[in-house]
Amino acid sequence: MKVGVVGLGLIGGSFVKAYHAAGHEVYGWNRSRSTLDYAMLSGDIDGELTPDVMRDCDLILVTLYAPATIDWIRANADHFGQKPFVIDCCGTKRTVCQACFPIAAEHGFMYVGGHPMAGTHFSGYKYSKATMYNGAPMVIVPPVYDDIMLLEKIKQLLSPAGFGRYSITSAEEHDRMIAFTSQMAHVVSNAFIKSPTASSHKGFSAGSYKDLTRVAWLNAPMWADLFLENKDYLCSELDIYINNLIKYRDAMIADDREELTRLLEEGKRRKEEVDGR
């Protein structure tokens, strides 16, 4: 398989290393030439992803931010031809899919929205690894939902990355769900660590603190863009969360042990309902 990877950060670099480790031919493009040169010098990449190479690729993975993804796909649409599957890896899907599905239709190539659900709080090619996606979920937003052969082809092309599960959905549903499962967790964690008490937590904190604050360490410009792209769904989830927090606070202020116990039992029961014991 001949694979092109656009953007050699943590996400793109991990794809590069996974496909290289699986024995495939890998080509790369990166805004910073030094990163591309390093990847080629290290032997992870066979060469630069030029227009001549693009049309011979089986798969092109675009791992840039949403605006840059749209710009790159639009700028190179004439070079793809009909062979490559072009899959983006943006953290939100409505903006990029709305722009790129028409581009693909106009130029006659296959474009699919994607979101690999894996990563770390580090960024950059040097932190990427071939095993990043092993067992991780991959969300797919296809142009059509009733083409079994298309979905099997997508899974086949992505199989060297080692994903453990594929979820097929719409761009709208993806963004609604990701506001809750990922984006809100980052906002809550980032806000939680701002307490003045955090500076003296050592010796008083264990697993709960580590779990809740892990994703406070984030790439601020990237996450700011993602939050703004998805602000309607994210703000809706935050409103629900804030309203629930107020209920706990009010019960404590009123010394209402019965109500506080009810709220806690309600949360415990909800966790069991959605995730099991």
Side-chain angles (χ1 to χ4, degrees):
M1 190 189 309
K2 182 179 285 190
V3 179
V5 179
V6 179
L8 302 179
L10 177 70
I11 299 301
S14 295
F15 275 120
V16 163
K17 293 175 181 178
Y19 279 87
H20 174 74
H24 299 287
E25 199 174 343
V26 183
Y27 294 82
W29 181 94
N30 196 67
R31 182 174 56 85
S32 168
R33 179 74 200 195
S34 60
T35 303
L36 175 60
D37 289 341
Y38 174 80
M40 288 194 290
L41 188 63
S42 68
D44 296 333
I45 287 180
D46 295 285
E48 184 176 359
L49 183 64
T50 62
D52 288 338
V53 174
M54 290 176 195
R55 64 181 62 251
D56 289 329
C57 286
D58 300 287
L59 172 66
I60 296 175
L61 294 158
V62 186
T63 67
L64 306 172
Y65 296 172
T69 291
I70 295 167
D71 290 344
W72 191 91
I73 290 177
R74 181 180 288 119
N76 289 279
D78 286 333
H79 305 311
F80 296 145
Q82 296 184 354
K83 183 179 180 182
F85 273 58
V86 179
I87 302 179
D88 86 89
C89 299
C90 297
T92 60
K93 297 267 63 87
R94 283 177 294 174
T95 300
V96 68
C97 287
Q98 184 178 16
C100 292
F101 280 137
I103 295 173
E106 178 184 351
H107 292 271
F109 65 90
M110 177 57 68
Y111 161 76
V112 176
H115 186 183
M117 302 299 297
T120 73
H121 58 272
F122 297 110
S123 60
Y125 188 82
K126 67 178 180 179
Y127 293 109
S128 62
K129 54 185 180 179
T131 57
M132 175 73 76
Y133 306 115
N134 285 2
M138 177 64 171
V139 182
I140 298 295
V141 179
V144 294
Y145 299 92
D146 57 353
D147 189 337
I148 300 301
M149 297 298 292
L150 171 63
L151 299 179
E152 287 302 316
K153 178 66 173 179
I154 294 168
K155 291 180 182 180
Q156 177 190 348
L157 290 169
L158 291 172
S159 62
F163 291 108
R165 176 180 178 180
Y166 293 89
S167 296
I168 313 300
T169 189
S170 66
E172 190 85 18
E173 181 64 9
H174 169 276
D175 287 1
R176 185 182 73 84
M177 289 301 299
I178 218 70
F180 174 75
T181 61
S182 176
Q183 293 179 344
M184 189 171 71
H186 283 78
V187 173
V188 170
S189 180
N190 199 265
F192 177 84
I193 199 64
K194 292 179 180 178
S195 168
T197 312
S199 60
S200 56
H201 80 85
K202 292 181 180 179
F204 297 87
S205 57
S208 298
Y209 170 84
K210 291 177 182 178
D211 290 344
L212 187 52
T213 59
R214 180 180 64 83
V215 293
W217 194 354
L218 45 69
N219 180 333
M222 181 191 79
W223 281 100
D225 286 343
L226 291 171
F227 294 161
L228 291 173
E229 289 165 14
N230 208 31
K231 65 182 181 180
D232 50 351
Y233 284 128
L234 179 54
C235 287
S236 176
E237 290 292 347
L238 283 171
D239 286 342
I240 294 170
Y241 183 64
I242 291 167
N243 288 335
N244 279 321
L245 285 178
I246 290 171
K247 293 177 184 178
Y248 290 92
R249 185 201 62 186
D250 288 351
M252 285 182 274
I253 289 174
D255 284 326
D256 190 341
R257 186 179 187 279
E258 182 178 349
E259 174 62 7
L260 183 58
T261 300
R262 187 194 69 78
L263 290 168
L264 294 170
E265 288 287 357
E266 182 181 57
K268 176 187 174 184
R269 185 169 60 253
R270 184 61 178 149
K271 173 64 174 175
E272 292 172 351
E273 289 172 355
V274 297
D275 292 322
R277 291 180 178 273

